[in-house]
């Protein structure tokens, strides 16, 4: 997980038919709500003026905005789902789809993915208000007006008017939720009206005081929901072990793709472990937001409750790499990677392990660290995106404890074999105290006020450029142009993690070297205390005297796509190769390249195969024809 921008909610698309039905007239921006710099002098007043201008009950406008953005302005910035301002008006670009959780870099259909009208409510609001889109992005007063205009258009489309009774805005709020699923829309709308009923007050990050006065007698017209003709879902659709507290709330349809895995020959071969970097409720809200990410499951820290949000047959946009999304299931865990593991409770671990065991059995996924991976282990799909890949669940996720709960321990008898043999990193956790630097930008809880070194239990060993504790930390090429790493908590490039497997490249005293990211790196390993010999693994080497290219995705060649389908493209990761003489552990057998097109349900399978290898802290892919193997 890299530094994430806030995961706000965003409103649903407004179709041309709704615009016509709304018949809203654009009016000038209310000058009295704006300061001299074009920004809000009083955000409360801006909401009041916009509510009056578009005949939206103030409580409804404030309630929607509260659950979209907590009334924060974030002027000029967009969230991970492409939303702007207090009303979270969206304008998602192909670049956002390429570099975001969809990981759509190189895909021939990325422009089509980003063209979904539900991802451009800012443009719809611009038409309704007559204001330039740039104004709605950058000026919070305009943004609030745009949100009010959308709400009013939804009310007119569903009730034919803008009712004075807040309870009669139930369908309009449901539309604004962004959900095309009945259950998801209901969850959001019920939250909004619960807030309207009890009231709420907040001081925003920029010091604005905003208050929604309680409307205790509001009676939401819940029967209006049926008129939206949304897709029906139920808790019966959950795919969980019967012993777990599991419910289903659908993610926004734009945050994944309907498929039929594995019946359509798209294999499910891995499970990706994430943390939310937010509260459980906030993560669920975020995944209901069109244009952002999603996950198949979200697990609560306090009691291990599970919310499924995407059917396992479908693709969830969770990993930031489309090839990984195709073949994996994503599980989010409530927590913060920089918080030293305090959010990762035993209950959360146990629920997660029970869910993973169930899924692994169902889809025949091996229970090992090569197939149960962290988001921080996922390959970057292109050279330009590697450095920004997420680093969750971070150094405080106890992998050895977790794999033990799966009855698949990574640890055996400690030791290290000869040069050329493979080892599993097994440093323990509680006794493996490492010093990491945590800075305010790493910690969205706000608990870190300045960069601070913390010594804490960790799941990794530090890697150095020479067999000495004074040698510089290794710096991954994609992050550090000078090759020197840091102990920053988000600097994944200088660490090897519990359960990962590498080939021994050298031994000197208490130090062991491994092949890692195209070079030889060293870690302190007296008497093999941090490693376990790995047996029965597949090791790959460059097939000739020239280095083998490393890739971040696994698409067929252009000429293997049928006519009418836009080929995806890929190029070697410019930072990485497998030089001649080096060796890396393959995480599984070579698999055929493939691609998926949801519009037609077409699966394209290429004639070449690629190995996934443990290349550095992350995995990489190499063509089978470019390497030779040795067990």
């Amino acid at each position: 997980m890299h530094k994430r921008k806030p995961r706000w909610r965003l409103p649903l698309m407004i179709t041309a038919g709704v615009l016509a039905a709304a018949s809203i007239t654009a009016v000038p921006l209310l000058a009295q709500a704006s300061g001299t710099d074009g920004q809000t002098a009083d955000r409360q007043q801006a909401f009041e003026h916009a509510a009056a201008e578009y005949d939206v009950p103030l409580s409804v406008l404030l309630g929607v905005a509260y659950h979209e953005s907590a009334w924060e302005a974030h002027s000029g910035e967009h969230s991970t789902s492409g939303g702007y301002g207090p009303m979270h008006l969206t304008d998602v670009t192909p670049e956002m789809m390429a570099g975001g959780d969809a990981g759509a870099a190189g895909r021939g259909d990325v422009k089509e993915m980003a063209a979904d009208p539900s991802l451009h409510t800012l443009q719809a609001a611009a038409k309704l208000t007559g204001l330039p889109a740039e104004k709605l992005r950058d000026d919070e007063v305009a943004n609030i007006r745009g949100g009010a205009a959308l709400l009013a258009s939804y009310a007119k489309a569903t009730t034919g008017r803008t009712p004075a009774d807040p309870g009669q805005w139930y369908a309009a709020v449901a539309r604004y939720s962004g959900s095309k699923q009945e259950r998801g829309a209901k969850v959001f709308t019920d939250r909004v009206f619960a807030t309207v009923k009890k009231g709420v007050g907040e001081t925003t990050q920029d010091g604005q005081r905003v208050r929604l006065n309680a409307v205790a007698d509001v009676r939401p017209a819940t029967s209006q929901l049926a008129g939206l003709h949304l897709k029906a879902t139920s808790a019966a659709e959950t795919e969980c072990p019967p012993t777990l507290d599991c419910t289903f709330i659908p993610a926004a349809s734009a945050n994944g793709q309907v498929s039929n895995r594995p019946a359509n020959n798209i294999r499910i071969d891995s499970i990706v472990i994430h943390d939310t970097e937010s509260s459980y409720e906030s993560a669920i809200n975020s995944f209901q937001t069109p244009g952002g990410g999603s996950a198949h499951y979200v697990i609560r820290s306090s009691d291990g409750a599970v919310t499924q949000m995407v059917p396992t047959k479908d693709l969830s946009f969770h990993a930031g790499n489309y090839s990984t999304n195709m073949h994996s299931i994503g599980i989010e865990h409530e927590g913060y990677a920089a918080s030293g593991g305090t959010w990762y409770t035993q209950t959360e671990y146990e629920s997660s392990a029970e869910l993973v065991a169930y899924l692994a059995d169902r889809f025949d996924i091996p229970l090992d660290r090569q197939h149960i991976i962290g988001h921080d282990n996922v390959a970057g799909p292109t050279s330009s995106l590697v450095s920004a890949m997420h680093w969750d669940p971070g150094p405080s996720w106890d992998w050895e404890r977790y794999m033990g709960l799966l009855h698949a321990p990574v640890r055996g008898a400690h030791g290290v074999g000869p040069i050329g043999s493979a080892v599993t990193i097994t440093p323990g956790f509680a006794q493996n105290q490492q010093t990491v630097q945590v800075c305010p930008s790493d910690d969205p809880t706000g608990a870190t006020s300045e960069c601070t070194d913390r010594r804490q239990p960790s799941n990794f060993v530090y890697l150095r450029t020479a067999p000495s504790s004074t040698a510089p930390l290794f710096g991954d090429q994609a992050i550090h142009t000078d090759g020197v790493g840091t102990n920053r908590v988000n600097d994944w490039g200088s660490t090897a993690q519990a359960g990962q497997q590498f080939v021994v490249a050298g031994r000197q005293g208490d130090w062991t070297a491994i092949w890692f990211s195209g070079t030889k790196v060293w870690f302190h390993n007296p008497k093999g205390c941090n490693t376990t010999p790995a047996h029965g693994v597949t090791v790959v080497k460059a097939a000739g005297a020239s280095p083998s290219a490393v890739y971040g995705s696994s698409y067929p060649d252009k000429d293997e796509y049928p006519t009418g389908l836009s080929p995806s493209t890929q190029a070697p990761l410019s930072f990485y190769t497998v030089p001649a003489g080096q060796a890396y552990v393959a995480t599984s057998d070579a698999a055929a390249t493939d691609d998926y097109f949801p519009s037609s349900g077409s699966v394209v399978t290429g004639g070449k195969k690629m190995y996934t290898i443990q290349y550095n802290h992350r995995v990489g892919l190499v063509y089978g024809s470019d390497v030779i193997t040795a067990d």
Side-chain angles (χ1 to χ4, degrees):
M1 154 200 57
H2 58 72
K3 179 184 175 182
R4 297 181 181 175
K5 290 186 178 180
R7 286 175 156 174
W8 312 326
R9 291 196 52 84
L10 97 157
L12 181 66
M13 63 178 283
I14 179 167
T15 64
V18 172
L19 286 172
S23 300
I24 292 180
T25 303
V27 295
L29 188 66
L30 293 176
Q32 63 265 41
S34 180
T36 57
D37 60 356
Q39 299 302 309
T40 304
D42 185 325
R43 200 163 300 147
Q44 178 84 33
Q45 189 180 38
F47 280 113
E48 292 171 359
H49 287 311
E53 180 181 0
Y54 289 101
D55 295 321
V56 181
L58 178 59
S59 59
V60 172
L61 183 62
L62 285 168
V64 168
Y66 179 74
H67 286 275
E68 292 289 353
S69 67
W71 299 325
E72 299 288 350
H74 301 286
S75 297
E77 296 184 358
H78 65 78
S79 72
T80 54
S81 50
Y84 295 83
M87 298 306 300
H88 204 271
L89 303 177
T90 59
D91 200 14
V92 175
T93 65
E95 291 74 23
M96 292 179 192
M97 297 292 286
D101 292 323
R107 291 193 56 79
D109 61 352
V110 65
K111 290 184 178 180
E112 179 183 343
M113 293 168 66
D116 185 334
S118 69
L119 307 182
H120 300 282
T121 57
L122 185 140
Q123 299 295 337
K127 292 180 180 178
L128 287 167
T129 60
L131 295 171
E134 294 77 12
K135 188 79 169 175
L136 293 169
R137 290 190 191 101
D138 300 335
D139 187 320
E140 64 188 74
V141 176
N143 187 274
I144 292 169
R145 286 188 66 231
L150 282 173
L151 268 172
S153 74
Y154 299 151
K156 289 186 176 183
T158 54
T159 70
R161 57 198 177 94
T162 52
D165 178 4
Q168 293 299 313
W169 286 71
Y170 194 89
V173 174
R175 277 193 179 276
Y176 206 103
S177 75
S179 180
K180 298 176 184 177
Q181 309 271 356
E182 182 180 276
R183 185 176 175 86
K186 185 178 187 304
V187 168
F188 175 80
T189 308
D190 286 347
R191 287 188 185 123
V192 169
F193 278 97
T195 300
V196 169
K197 190 177 185 70
K198 69 181 180 182
V200 65
E202 294 280 351
T203 299
T204 64
Q205 294 176 8
D206 59 353
Q208 291 280 331
R209 181 65 181 170
V210 183
R211 180 161 189 83
L212 191 171
N213 293 321
V215 185
D217 59 350
V218 66
R219 294 189 177 184
T222 56
S223 62
Q224 291 180 352
L225 190 63
L228 298 180
H229 305 294
L230 302 174
K231 182 180 177 181
T233 55
S234 71
E237 296 183 28
T238 59
E239 302 166 274
C240 291
T243 51
L244 290 182
D245 175 10
C246 189
T247 58
F248 187 88
I249 298 175
S253 59
N255 297 356
Q257 293 176 338
V258 174
S259 185
N260 193 26
R261 307 182 307 169
N264 60 358
N265 293 320
I266 297 178
R267 68 188 184 278
I268 301 176
D269 62 10
S270 59
I271 296 172
V272 181
I273 303 299
H274 305 253
D275 79 34
T276 59
E277 293 300 293
S278 69
S279 70
Y280 178 71
E281 287 290 327
S282 179
I284 293 170
N285 288 348
S286 172
F287 296 153
Q288 293 175 270
T289 300
S294 62
H296 290 91
Y297 300 90
V298 185
I299 301 179
R300 188 159 56 200
S301 174
S302 61
D303 58 3
V306 179
T307 295
Q308 183 175 3
M309 303 198 71
V310 178
T312 58
K313 71 179 183 64
D314 296 339
L315 277 66
S316 165
F317 291 164
H318 65 95
N321 183 316
Y322 191 87
S323 287
T324 303
N325 290 336
M326 278 183 65
H327 300 297
S328 65
I329 293 171
I331 304 178
E332 288 274 1
H333 299 76
E334 183 181 25
Y336 300 86
S339 293
T342 55
W343 281 79
Y344 304 146
T345 64
Q346 179 66 13
T347 298
E348 187 173 41
Y349 276 124
E350 289 174 351
S351 288
S352 180
E354 191 170 350
L355 176 60
V356 166
Y358 160 83
L359 294 169
D361 179 67
R362 181 178 169 190
F363 297 109
D364 198 26
I365 301 170
L367 284 174
D368 57 41
R369 277 285 283 121
Q370 286 60 58
H371 298 85
I372 314 300
I373 65 174
H375 197 180
D376 54 339
N377 306 141
V378 173
T382 67
S383 300
S384 62
L385 296 175
V386 173
S387 64
M389 291 296 286
H390 290 200
W391 56 278
D392 59 309
S396 297
W397 181 266
D398 190 346
W399 280 110
E400 294 185 47
R401 174 188 185 185
Y402 187 61
M403 298 307 294
L405 289 171
L406 289 167
H407 306 291
V410 299
R411 180 185 299 211
H414 280 297
V416 56
I419 293 174
S421 66
V423 292
T424 304
I425 305 297
T426 52
F429 185 73
Q431 77 279 14
N432 181 39
Q433 300 280 322
Q434 301 286 1
T435 300
V436 297
Q437 184 187 63
V438 180
C439 292
S441 60
D442 305 319
D443 184 5
T445 68
T448 304
S449 58
E450 60 183 4
C451 292
T452 306
D453 281 350
R454 300 177 185 171
R455 190 161 179 81
Q456 62 186 41
S458 302
N459 61 22
F460 67 88
V461 293
Y462 276 121
L463 304 172
R464 298 188 179 273
T465 56
S468 168
S469 58
T470 60
L473 290 172
F474 170 74
D476 185 89
Q477 305 93 306
I479 306 174
H480 301 286
T481 56
D482 61 0
V484 177
T486 71
N487 71 340
R488 183 79 174 265
V489 68
N490 64 357
D491 191 348
W492 48 266
S494 60
T495 63
Q497 201 173 61
Q500 294 180 329
Q501 296 178 325
F502 300 96
V503 176
V504 177
R507 298 178 63 178
Q508 184 172 319
D510 290 341
W511 292 79
T512 298
I514 53 175
W515 297 119
F516 186 94
S517 208
T519 190
K520 181 189 289 188
V521 298
W522 297 83
F523 61 95
H524 196 232
N525 192 28
K527 298 182 179 180
C529 68
N530 291 319
T531 54
T532 298
H535 303 288
V537 301
T538 299
V539 173
V540 302
K541 304 176 181 179
S546 300
S548 297
V550 177
Y551 295 80
S553 55
S554 179
Y555 294 129
D557 290 347
K558 181 178 181 179
D559 60 7
E560 295 179 306
Y561 286 80
T563 301
L565 296 180
S566 300
S568 299
T569 60
Q570 60 189 17
L573 299 176
S574 60
F575 310 103
Y576 303 141
T577 63
V578 174
Q582 295 189 12
Y584 293 83
V585 174
T587 64
S588 59
D589 294 337
T593 58
D594 56 1
D595 204 351
Y596 176 61
F597 293 85
S599 57
S600 62
S602 300
V603 177
V604 181
T605 303
K608 296 179 181 178
K609 292 186 175 182
M610 300 185 81
Y611 284 101
T612 300
I613 62 172
Q614 188 65 65
Y615 182 70
N616 46 31
H617 188 95
R618 301 186 182 277
V619 299
L621 294 107
V622 293
Y623 281 106
S625 58
D626 290 347
V627 296
I628 57 174
T629 64
D631 292 334

